[in-house]
Amino acid sequence: MGELARRTPDDNVTGPFGAYGFADVNKFLMVYKFGLAEIGTKINILAEELAHRGRGNPIEHVSPRLKTPASITAKARRIECPLTFDDMRARIRDIAGIRIVCGFVPDVYTVARMLTRQPDVHLVVTKDYIAQPKPNGYRSLHLIVEIPVFLSDQVVAVPVEVQLRTVAMDFWASLEHKIYYKHDADVPAALRAELAAAAEDAARLDERMQRLHHEIHGPRQ
Ligand code: GTP
Ligand code: MG
């Protein structure tokens, strides 16, 4: 219940979620919390088991996050989604999100494959911003997966956004995010170009580290 307890009064409900009460909102968010827990367990199992195989753990760190009610309603307004639970459930697929940061680019694809080939994980959408980086330089592999959550009287397929990237990509994305917010989304052109160039540098660093790793350890499976 950590995430819910930490919410600010602004996130509470009567405003952003219209007629819905706090208990309704908590119930709406609950399955996403469970979905995150299910995916989190799968990733922890993979990380621990892969570490035991003795060739190093491809997963550096994992951070789950649940969108706050304020951020859910902000997105709903942005995409012109009515503020009903049914509409938001259908159209906002990143209420539950988990970021998996890996050592090397091939690890990103290995972990994605290991996760999505599990029979209870249903892959809904893949966006490969590593193969095709965004114009600003952003790189990551994004998956929307659905995972079954077993409640007392029903099974709910919960969507979870999984973002996989390397440490270098994560470093870039964190700083870009900060700069973007600092400039209130209106980043000067010269700074945009510098950021895109820095993303290329990060990609080259990834290649270089991967080459070194390959020389020392041979190819990963
Ligand atoms: P959102 O409505 O923002 O969720 O975007 P989307 O539905 O078009 O999905 P997309 O897969 O493009 O992006 C999903 C998430 O990836 C975002 O919410 C961010 O967390 C992250 N992301 C996407 N693009 C960028 C970017 O240019 N910079 C950074 N730092 N993060 C990004
Ligand atoms: Mg998002």
Side-chain angles (χ1 to χ4, degrees), residues 65 67 75 78-79 94 99 127 129 134 136-138 140 142 144 161 163 165 172-178 180:
R65 72 102 184 87
K67 251 191 196 326
K75 180 160 182 174
R78 180 159 60 79
I79 63 172
D94 61 346
R99 186 169 296 146
K127 287 190 203 167
Y129 296 124
K134 289 177 71 162
N136 64 356
Y138 178 76
S140 277
H142 290 185
I144 305 286
E161 181 183 78
Q163 299 181 351
R165 53 174 76 144
W172 182 91
S174 308
L175 291 182
E176 189 265 357
H177 186 72
K178 277 183 197 151
Y180 200 81

Side-chain angles (χ1 to χ4, degrees), residues 94-176:
D94 61 346
I95 292 173
I98 193 157
R99 186 169 296 146
I100 307 173
V101 177
C102 297
F104 302 97
V105 177
D107 297 338
V108 162
Y109 291 100
T110 302
V111 173
R113 207 168 43 243
M114 285 173 172
L115 197 61
T116 54
R117 75 181 173 203
Q118 300 190 6
D120 53 345
V121 176
H122 172 56
L123 178 62
V124 183
V125 181
T126 304
K127 287 190 203 167
D128 190 346
Y129 296 124
I130 298 175
Q132 282 182 307
K134 289 177 71 162
N136 64 356
Y138 178 76
R139 286 165 170 78
S140 277
L141 177 65
H142 290 185
L143 315 173
I144 305 286
V145 298
E146 274 178 355
I147 179 120
V149 165
F150 294 82
L151 302 178
S152 55
D153 57 351
Q154 58 175 321
V155 183
V156 185
V158 178
V160 179
E161 181 183 78
V162 184
Q163 299 181 351
L164 299 112
R165 53 174 76 144
T166 63
V167 179
M169 293 171 195
D170 192 50
F171 170 61
W172 182 91
S174 308
L175 291 182
E176 189 265 357

